[in-house]
Amino acid sequence: MNDPLLHHPSLYALTVGIAKYRDHSFKLEYAAADAKAMAQELRKRGQGLFKSIHIRPLFNQEATRDRIAREMQELASMMQPSDVFILYLAGHGQTLDGKYHFIPWELVYDNEDSIRTASLGHNQLLDLLSGVPALKSLIILDTCNSGAFATARGRSLSDKTAIDKLMHATGRTTLSASSDVQMALEGHMGHGVFTYVLLDGLRGKADQTEHHGDNNGEISTDELAQYTRRHVPLITLKRWGYEQFPMRRIHGDPFSIGLAQ
C-alpha cells in the first residue's frame, strides 16, 4: 500500500527556551517550559500532515550560541526546498546599535560589548537562515527585554524597529511577542502570554470561523498570526491593564503547520 504522506513535505523545527541563564539577573519563569510545550504541540499537530517530523529542542544551559547555530545548520543540511522549517526562540532579546540580539544561556553582561560579542545577533541570525533551503519558513520570537538593560514598561519604538528590520531582512514569515519583562515573568496560565495564545491557536482555535479561520482542519501561518494579533491584546488588557500587540510580517503565501484535530 502506498504511503499517503509520501509526497508531503517534512517538518523541521528548532525550539529554544532559556529561563535559567548563567547570569541570574536574566532569570525568567516560563521560557524553557514554553519551548518544551511548543515542541510537543508541533510534533502532535504535525502527525498526519507531514511525511516526517524532526524537532530539536534546546532548553536553558543547552541553548548556547554555538549549539543553536550548530543545530540549525544540521537541520538545514537535511531539508529540501519543499519542506517546512520553524524557528522558535524564547528568552531575552535586546536592541543594540539598532539591531536585534537574542541572548544565549552563557552570556554574562559586563557592558554593551557583551551583547555585541556574545549574543546571537541580527547578522548571525540572517547568515544561519540564509542556509535554510526550506521555502516555507516560520520564525517565532517570544523574547523580552531584560531589566538589566532597561526599566521601561514595554518595548520602546527602537526595539520594535529592530525586530521589524530582522523580520524584513529574513524574507520569511515572522511572528514576535513584543512583550515586556513583567508579562514574561508573570505569564498567563503557566506560559508566557504570547506562547499561551500560540498554543491555544495551534490546538485548533485559530482555524475556527469565529476566530476568522477557514475551518478546513489545518492551522496556517496567517490564521495563527491573526489569532495572536486578536487575543494577546485581550489577555494583557484584562490582566495588566494595557494592550500589547504582537508584531508580524507575512512573507509569501500562507502554509499549514499543523492539523486542528
Side-chain angles (χ1 to χ4, degrees), residues 21-23 26 103-109 114-115 118-119 149:
Y21 280 84
R22 182 184 178 192
D23 186 334
F26 298 158
I103 308 302
W105 170 82
E106 75 277 16
L107 189 149
V108 175
Y109 185 76
S114 305
I115 307 298
S119 70
F149 309 129

Side-chain angles (χ1 to χ4, degrees), residues 18-21 24-32 60 90-93 142-146 180-181 183-185:
I18 312 172
K20 297 178 181 179
Y21 280 84
H24 288 187
S25 65
F26 298 158
K27 184 179 183 296
L28 292 169
E29 293 296 328
Y30 302 109
N60 295 322
H92 279 301
D142 192 352
T143 59
C144 67
N145 204 330
S146 170
D180 69 10
V181 176
M183 287 186 292
L185 286 172

Side-chain angles (χ1 to χ4, degrees), residues 111-185:
N111 52 52
E112 286 188 348
D113 286 338
S114 305
I115 307 298
R116 293 188 179 93
T117 60
S119 70
L120 186 64
H122 176 105
N123 292 336
Q124 187 177 10
L125 280 168
L126 293 186
D127 286 344
L128 289 169
L129 288 168
S130 70
V132 172
L135 298 178
K136 297 177 179 179
S137 296
L138 172 63
I139 315 303
I140 301 173
L141 304 175
D142 192 352
T143 59
C144 67
N145 204 330
S146 170
F149 309 129
T151 58
R153 187 188 193 206
R155 284 194 178 277
S156 68
L157 181 60
S158 63
D159 291 320
K160 290 191 172 186
T161 300
I163 292 174
D164 189 52
K165 286 179 181 177
L166 180 66
M167 287 178 166
H168 182 76
T170 65
R172 299 164 193 261
T173 294
T174 307
L175 306 179
S176 174
S178 187
S179 63
D180 69 10
V181 176
Q182 180 185 9
M183 287 186 292
L185 286 172

